[in-house]
Amino acid sequence: MSTVPSGQPPATEPAAPSSVDPLTGEKISKSELKRRLQQREKEAKKAEKAAAQAAAAASATSKPKAAKAPGIDEDELDPSQYFELRSRQINKLKEHPLTHPYPHKFNVTMSVPDFVAEFGAPGRIANGARDDSVVVSLGGRVHNIRSSGQNLRFYDLHADGAKVQILAQANYHKPQPHPNAPPGAEAPTTPFTDTHDTFRRGDIVGVVGSPARSKAGELSISPTHIQLLSPNLHQLPKYSGLKDQETRYRKRYLDLILNEHTRNIFITRSKVVNYIRRFFDAQGFLEVETPMMSMIAGGATAKPFVTHHNDLKLDLFMRIAPELYLKELIVGGLDRVYEIGRVFRNEGIDLTHNPEFSICEFYMAYADLYDVMDLTEALIEGMVRYLTGGKTQLTYHPEGPGEGKKEYTLEFQRPWKRFDMVETLEQCLGIKMPVGDEWTTEETRLMLSEQCEKHNVECGAPRTTARLLDKLVGEFIESQCVSPSFIVGHPEIMSPLAKYHRSRPGLCERFEGFMCTKEFCNAYTELNDPFEQRIRFEQQAAQKAAGDDEAQGIDETFVDALEHGLPPTGGWGLGIDRLVMFLTDSPNIKEVLLFPAMKPDVQAPHSGQI
């Protein structure tokens, strides 16, 4: 959807014959086009006047300075004025094929990181020298422009996380035909200064030249030809980068352009996902894909999103977990399966929750929670060693870095600490917890409710036994889990898909992995008794009817699959986003999501994103 420049009101639905706005490409009425052109002319005159005044007041210095359009100090323009002026400049270049600013192709022969690796070694090129025996082509984005007189320009070219200086000198300047020019066209005779006055911070350019070093010793490319490949029409923040958090999340492209730290977070995230894949592939697992929409939201305790399928005329749920489908595949004889993908939970947004997030789940036939626990420790410890070059310790700042802020030291080396849920709560609360069937009684629910009130632990409605217990665990056990730890010994009422404990009545075989006091994985010895599974589903359905939006319904297809025989199975789910938070020392989950969920910006044109 096209948008109007900042400062312009959105176009209304044209009632008169339409025209095309030459600046934005929008189809608008002739009267609206006339109004816009008049407004732009007024803004341009105002900008030129302000710039001329600023330029006249600026004192000249002998230091290198940023290249600017003659007579205009563009740094003094506000964003809308700069956009208007820059758009005029670019549209002027589009009038001739030899200067068109959006070519179809530029032949890059080497990446910037490879250029730095090959020519950046000490002694490879002497200070002030140029290696004319080598000619390469680089592409990237300009982050800084400096000039020293009329015949020397310096640019910082960034690409793929690396930087190289462009050292442009007039005596090496050799214009070439533009790639968009007709066949046989001659190279333009554009003077050096006119060519380089075209470029601005943020432009994407292509450079043809030889490796060199400046007199100060900075690795450079000395170009014979430099070409505009895609101009940036907006001002970039200078020097300090992009600091405003909301702008960083809403305009992630701008955040990535300006902040190397952000780029490194998402490189680490990619490494984490790739490591998970390699780990499970090496263990003989098969990666699969399961549906994103279904008639029943199952596999987890969460409130789903609802969508509508027009052709089927059905309301469907966005999946909250792929669990039930994956266990059906185990029934079908795929003994080791895993999936990495998105799930959707219609819940709150905070520092550690986003309504859509990435998950990895695996299911392993003929295994139980103890096998899965060992596999989890091996996966995460190996991942940390891979990311850190062999270390098993990381530092995490839950409130962000800064003097006096809280700091956690995480130790990932196996074995991890284990907290038994029932025993630890008994120690912390000084009471005797229920056993066996007592977990399902009203007396137990009231006892847990009293404990929450006694210790000022909040629990909203519905105050079911499972929800009350979960709140107490969060207050008294999760808060102790700083380094990676396991909480084990959950009551069956908290885990409708987990198998009952083989030696402790009323409990089930489940563990949750925690670090930095937050859950990052969850695992079971899977329930494979179809009779017991139906009873658990019916209990969940009753809780849903009582007002618990997060409770599951009865999935008859899954029960039917269990009736065909699910072998003893261990299953596991990992929240990738939250794990990446801890591994990259990011206190907010939005830092590790390229496009996090946010409320619409009412001051900006609608973008179709949230």
Side-chain angles (χ1 to χ4, degrees):
M1 176 178 177
S2 56
T3 58
V4 296
S6 177
Q8 299 286 342
T12 57
E13 189 68 27
S18 61
S19 299
V20 175
D21 187 323
L23 183 62
T24 68
E26 289 178 281
K27 203 171 184 180
I28 56 176
S29 68
K30 290 184 177 179
S31 60
E32 171 65 11
L33 177 60
K34 181 179 179 181
R35 187 195 66 77
R36 289 190 186 185
L37 293 176
Q38 291 174 341
Q39 178 67 21
R40 288 171 187 165
E41 185 176 0
K42 181 179 177 182
E43 288 284 341
K45 289 180 179 178
K46 181 180 177 182
E48 290 177 4
K49 181 179 179 181
Q53 290 173 346
S59 60
T61 67
S62 58
K63 297 180 180 180
K65 57 184 180 180
K68 300 182 180 72
I72 298 179
D73 187 350
E74 294 176 353
D75 291 339
E76 299 298 322
L77 304 181
D78 66 36
S80 62
Q81 291 173 334
Y82 182 92
F83 177 84
E84 182 71 28
L85 180 62
R86 185 67 169 143
S87 296
R88 285 174 176 269
Q89 294 167 349
I90 296 306
N91 281 322
K92 188 71 174 175
L93 293 175
K94 290 168 64 176
E95 293 176 0
H96 196 285
L98 294 180
T99 58
H100 199 289
Y102 297 99
H104 291 76
K105 169 72 175 176
F106 180 82
N107 185 37
V108 171
T109 62
M110 178 177 279
S111 70
V112 172
D114 287 346
F115 181 90
V116 173
E118 182 165 344
F119 303 108
R124 174 65 175 80
I125 302 173
N127 291 0
R130 164 189 166 114
D131 186 354
D132 290 315
S133 66
V134 178
V135 177
V136 299
S137 299
L138 306 180
R141 189 181 294 274
V142 171
H143 276 232
N144 197 15
I145 305 176
R146 305 171 302 282
S147 64
S148 181
Q150 292 296 311
N151 297 321
L152 182 60
R153 300 289 172 91
F154 300 92
Y155 303 82
D156 290 340
L157 186 71
H158 289 239
D160 297 325
K163 182 193 85 168
V164 68
Q165 178 175 262
I166 302 174
L167 197 166
Q169 298 168 283
N171 55 321
Y172 289 113
H173 180 65
K174 298 177 183 177
Q176 296 179 5
H178 193 281
N180 287 356
E186 295 182 1
T189 57
T190 311
F192 176 85
T193 52
D194 289 355
T195 296
H196 288 273
D197 283 344
T198 302
F199 305 122
R200 299 292 183 274
R201 296 180 63 250
D203 287 352
I204 296 174
V205 301
V207 188
V208 179
S210 298
R213 279 195 183 275
S214 67
K215 293 180 180 179
E218 184 168 357
L219 178 65
S220 308
I221 179 171
S222 177
T224 57
H225 174 63
I226 181 168
Q227 176 183 332
L228 183 61
L229 303 181
S230 185
N232 179 24
L233 303 182
H234 297 273
Q235 290 172 316
L236 288 185
K238 296 190 71 173
Y239 308 120
S240 61
L242 181 62
K243 302 298 184 184
D244 182 73
Q245 190 178 68
E246 183 167 342
T247 302
R248 290 180 52 240
Y249 298 155
R250 291 190 186 279
K251 297 185 177 183
R252 185 65 85 184
Y253 49 89
L254 192 57
D255 186 23
L256 289 166
I257 288 171
L258 294 168
N259 294 323
E260 191 66 22
H261 176 68
T262 300
R263 175 188 176 84
N264 290 336
I265 286 176
F266 290 103
I267 289 174
T268 299
R269 181 189 175 102
S270 179
K271 289 180 178 178
V272 167
V273 175
N274 287 334
Y275 185 91
I276 292 171
R277 278 199 169 92
R278 293 198 307 270
F279 181 88
F280 286 118
D281 289 346
Q283 298 286 334
F285 283 79
L286 179 69
E287 184 174 10
V288 298
E289 293 179 317
T290 59
M292 289 282 188
M293 299 180 293
S294 62
M295 295 179 62
I296 295 177
T301 301
K303 185 177 180 180
F305 285 95
V306 181
T307 187
H308 184 78
H309 194 294
N310 291 334
D311 193 48
L312 296 178
K313 297 179 175 59
L314 283 176
D315 282 343
L316 298 173
F317 296 107
M318 300 297 291
R319 72 175 182 188
I320 57 175
E323 177 170 343
L324 303 186
Y325 286 110
L326 292 173
K327 286 193 282 193
E328 289 177 24
L329 297 181
I330 299 289
V331 171
L334 301 180
D335 286 348
R336 296 188 178 195
V337 294
Y338 76 96
E339 180 172 10
I340 297 174
R342 306 291 272 181
V343 293
F344 309 86
R345 300 184 182 180
N346 200 354
E347 300 168 346
I349 300 173
D350 58 29
L351 293 178
T352 61
H353 292 85
N354 196 70
E356 59 171 312
F357 59 97
S358 295
I359 197 170
C360 175
E361 291 201 11
F362 80 78
Y363 293 84
M364 183 178 181
Y366 312 109
D368 62 13
L369 88 159
Y370 302 106
D371 299 311
V372 175
M373 204 176 292
D374 292 341
L375 213 57
T376 303
E377 289 178 328
L379 169 68
I380 304 300
E381 181 188 336
M383 180 187 298
V384 171
R385 289 184 182 275
Y386 164 69
L387 295 174
T388 63
K391 296 189 297 183
T392 60
Q393 279 194 351
L394 289 175
T395 301
Y396 182 72
H397 299 85
E399 301 167 355
E403 188 175 350
K405 297 283 188 71
K406 186 184 297 183
E407 178 178 293
Y408 294 148
T409 298
L410 313 180
E411 176 55 70
F412 289 85
Q413 186 169 354
R414 295 174 281 175
W416 297 352
K417 190 171 183 178
R418 289 159 170 73
F419 292 90
D420 184 277
M421 180 181 292
V422 173
E423 293 177 359
T424 307
L425 282 179
E426 286 180 338
Q427 295 170 7
C428 294
L429 300 175
I431 61 172
K432 183 68 177 176
M433 299 296 284
V435 295
D437 293 340
E438 293 176 2
W439 284 104
T440 62
T441 64
E442 178 65 10
E443 289 77 8
T444 293
R445 191 190 71 81
L446 292 174
M447 181 269 289
L448 294 175
S449 181
E450 290 173 1
Q451 289 297 316
C452 284
E453 293 172 4
K454 177 181 177 181
H455 296 282
N456 298 316
V457 176
E458 294 185 5
C459 180
R463 294 169 68 89
T464 62
T465 301
R467 285 171 55 84
L468 291 163
L469 187 57
D470 182 65
K471 298 299 182 181
L472 289 169
V473 170
E475 180 72 19
F476 292 100
I477 304 180
E478 295 174 10
S479 58
Q480 301 183 55
C481 301
V482 176
S483 286
S485 310
F486 294 125
I487 297 178
V488 299
H490 297 63
E492 288 184 38
I493 56 170
M494 298 182 74
S495 312
L497 297 168
K499 196 174 183 71
Y500 62 87
H501 200 284
R502 64 194 76 180
S503 61
R504 301 174 69 183
L507 305 186
C508 64
E509 295 200 350
R510 174 187 179 185
F511 74 80
E512 292 176 285
F514 279 80
M515 71 175 82
C516 305
T517 74
K518 303 295 182 181
E519 179 191 357
F520 71 92
C521 74
N522 188 23
Y524 315 139
T525 299
E526 299 295 336
L527 178 60
N528 61 345
D529 179 344
F531 303 102
E532 179 63 25
Q533 183 64 79
R534 182 176 291 280
I535 292 172
R536 302 269 191 96
F537 275 155
E538 289 171 349
Q539 291 171 345
Q540 286 281 300
Q543 293 177 22
K544 182 179 283 290
D548 188 350
D549 291 334
E550 296 184 347
Q552 302 179 50
I554 301 174
D555 190 329
E556 293 290 352
T557 300
F558 179 67
V559 174
D560 182 77
L562 292 188
E563 291 170 352
H564 285 77
L566 174 69
T569 298
W572 173 92
L574 168 76
I576 292 175
D577 307 320
R578 198 174 291 177
L579 176 63
V580 174
M581 280 181 61
F582 303 141
L583 298 184
T584 59
D585 195 13
S586 301
N588 190 331
I589 198 170
K590 288 183 171 67
E591 295 288 346
V592 303
L593 298 171
L594 283 168
F595 301 101
M598 300 182 71
K599 290 182 178 179
D601 183 358
V602 295
Q603 312 232 337
H606 177 58
S607 67
Q609 300 178 2
I610 61 170

